[in-house]
Amino acid sequence: MMTYVIREKYFGYNDEVFYASGNRIAGIFDHKEQAEMIYKQLEINGARDFALYEVEALFDADEALLKKLDDFVFSRCGKHIYQEGEVSRDSLPESLSDEDTLEFIQIANMHKFQLVKFENEVKFYALWSVKQQKWVEEHDEFFASLVYADQPEQLKSNVRTIFADYDYGDIQLKGSFEELSDQPVLLQAMINAQSGLKYNQKTQTLIIMQGWEEEGLYAVNPLLKQPLFEIREIELEEIQRIEKELAVQYSYDNYE
C-alpha cells in the first residue's frame, strides 16, 4: 500500500524576498491520482502567490537563468517576466497555462510543496538534541518548525540549528582526544584538516566554531562519544502532534 504525504513550505519575509522558514504537513493520501492532482494544484496556486521579484529563487538567480525563464514564459503566453535587468513586480501571468506553470516551477526550482511517496509505512527522520533531550526545532520571527525529512541525508543542511543549544556561540567540549572520542586519531586528523575546528591543548577543549559548515559538523558528530545530535526515525503521528502544538503556541493563521 502506498501513502502520499504533501509537505508545505512556510515563508517569512526579510524586506527583500519571501524565504522558506519551515515546513508542515499539508495532506496525507492513499490514492496516487488524488495526491498528485492536489499537489499540482497547490504548486500552481503557490507559484502565483508572490510578486516574482520577491521570490527567493528568482532573486538569487543569475541572468542566464532569468533570460531562460523569460524566454519560456514569452514563448508560451507572449508575456515578459524579465526585462532590462529587472524581474517583474507582478506575479506569473494568468495567461500561462497550468501545465506551463508547473514546468516554470521546475525550471526555476521554486517549489512550495513536496510530494513524498512511501511504499509501505511512512518513515520520516528528525534531528534529536542530545543536550536538550528533545526534537530539534527551527525558529525565526515568522515561524517555528520541526526539523525533519524523508531521507536522513537531507538533514545535513539543518544540523547548524544545534548551535541554538549553545546560545548560538562556539561549542566547547572539554576532554582529551581519548575522552572525547573512541577514534581519537581520526578526531585529531579532522581537527587538523578543518578550519572550523580548534583544540586548546592547555585547557584540553575542543572548540567547534559557531556557523561552521554543515558538512563538517555532520562529519565530526559521529566521532564524538557524546554526540551533539542524533538522527532518529519519527512517527507521522508525532510530527502532526508537534506541528499542531507549535501552531497553537505561535498562532499560525489558517492552520487546521
Side-chain angles (χ1 to χ4, degrees):
M1 178 179 175
M2 296 287 289
T3 302
Y4 302 84
V5 179
I6 296 177
R7 297 178 67 199
E8 177 185 3
K9 292 182 181 179
Y10 196 91
F11 290 84
Y13 186 70
N14 62 6
D15 293 332
E16 287 186 321
V17 296
F18 288 95
Y19 64 93
S21 61
N23 290 273
R24 63 189 180 200
I25 301 291
I28 304 169
F29 308 89
D30 294 326
H31 302 289
K32 177 181 178 181
E33 293 76 12
Q34 181 189 24
E36 291 183 343
M37 179 185 68
I38 291 176
Y39 164 73
K40 289 178 180 179
Q41 196 58 56
L42 286 170
E43 284 282 32
I44 291 165
N45 295 342
R48 295 167 176 163
D49 274 351
F50 304 144
L52 291 174
Y53 81 106
E54 293 181 313
V55 174
E56 186 176 27
L58 302 186
F59 185 87
D60 293 334
D62 59 25
E63 187 174 12
L65 177 56
L66 291 172
K67 285 184 176 179
K68 179 180 179 179
L69 291 168
D70 182 64
D71 289 343
F72 173 81
V73 174
F74 187 76
S75 69
R76 302 303 172 94
C77 68
K79 302 285 185 179
H80 285 287
I81 63 161
Y82 179 69
Q83 289 182 298
E84 299 179 355
E86 297 289 337
V87 178
S88 172
R89 301 181 78 86
D90 296 322
S91 57
L92 277 174
E94 292 183 6
S95 53
L96 191 67
S97 72
D98 286 353
E99 288 303 314
D100 289 338
T101 298
L102 286 171
E103 189 171 346
F104 179 91
I105 292 167
Q106 186 68 34
I107 298 170
N109 192 26
M110 52 181 281
H111 299 275
K112 286 190 65 177
F113 297 84
Q114 176 191 21
L115 177 60
V116 190
K117 306 173 186 179
F118 300 94
E119 187 170 351
N120 296 305
E121 61 179 316
V122 176
K123 284 189 178 180
F124 281 107
Y125 300 85
L127 288 179
W128 176 265
S129 167
V130 173
K131 182 177 182 180
Q132 300 292 340
Q133 286 294 294
K134 67 176 186 177
W135 299 111
V136 174
E137 300 168 5
E138 284 189 306
H139 295 256
D140 71 8
E141 61 182 311
F142 297 99
F143 199 71
S145 62
L146 184 67
V147 180
Y148 68 101
D150 59 295
Q151 298 294 329
E153 297 77 14
Q154 295 174 356
L155 293 170
K156 285 184 180 180
S157 60
N158 299 102
V159 296
R160 66 185 182 279
T161 56
I162 209 67
F163 282 102
D165 291 352
Y166 301 86
D167 298 323
Y168 299 98
D170 295 344
I171 298 172
Q172 300 190 25
L173 306 174
K174 291 191 176 293
S176 65
F177 293 119
E178 291 75 16
E179 290 171 332
L180 291 170
S181 177
D182 288 327
Q183 303 178 74
V185 176
L186 287 179
L187 178 60
Q188 189 167 5
M190 182 169 286
I191 292 170
N192 293 335
Q194 298 286 349
S195 60
L197 287 178
K198 306 290 182 185
Y199 188 78
N200 188 318
Q201 291 283 359
K202 185 177 181 179
T203 62
Q204 289 198 317
T205 304
L206 170 62
I207 303 169
I208 303 174
M209 308 292 285
Q210 191 276 332
W212 193 36
E213 66 274 13
E214 292 86 354
E215 287 284 346
L217 184 56
Y218 191 85
V220 75
N221 190 66
L223 293 179
L224 301 174
K225 288 183 179 179
Q226 183 71 14
L228 303 174
F229 61 87
E230 296 175 0
I231 294 177
R232 298 183 177 182
E233 282 190 22
I234 184 170
E235 299 288 338
L236 181 59
E237 292 77 11
E238 178 75 352
I239 292 173
Q240 292 177 298
R241 181 188 66 79
I242 294 172
E243 288 186 337
K244 286 181 180 179
E245 288 179 354
L246 291 173
V248 172
Q249 184 178 355
Y250 293 93
S251 301
Y252 303 155
D253 293 334
N254 303 319
Y255 187 91
E256 297 182 359

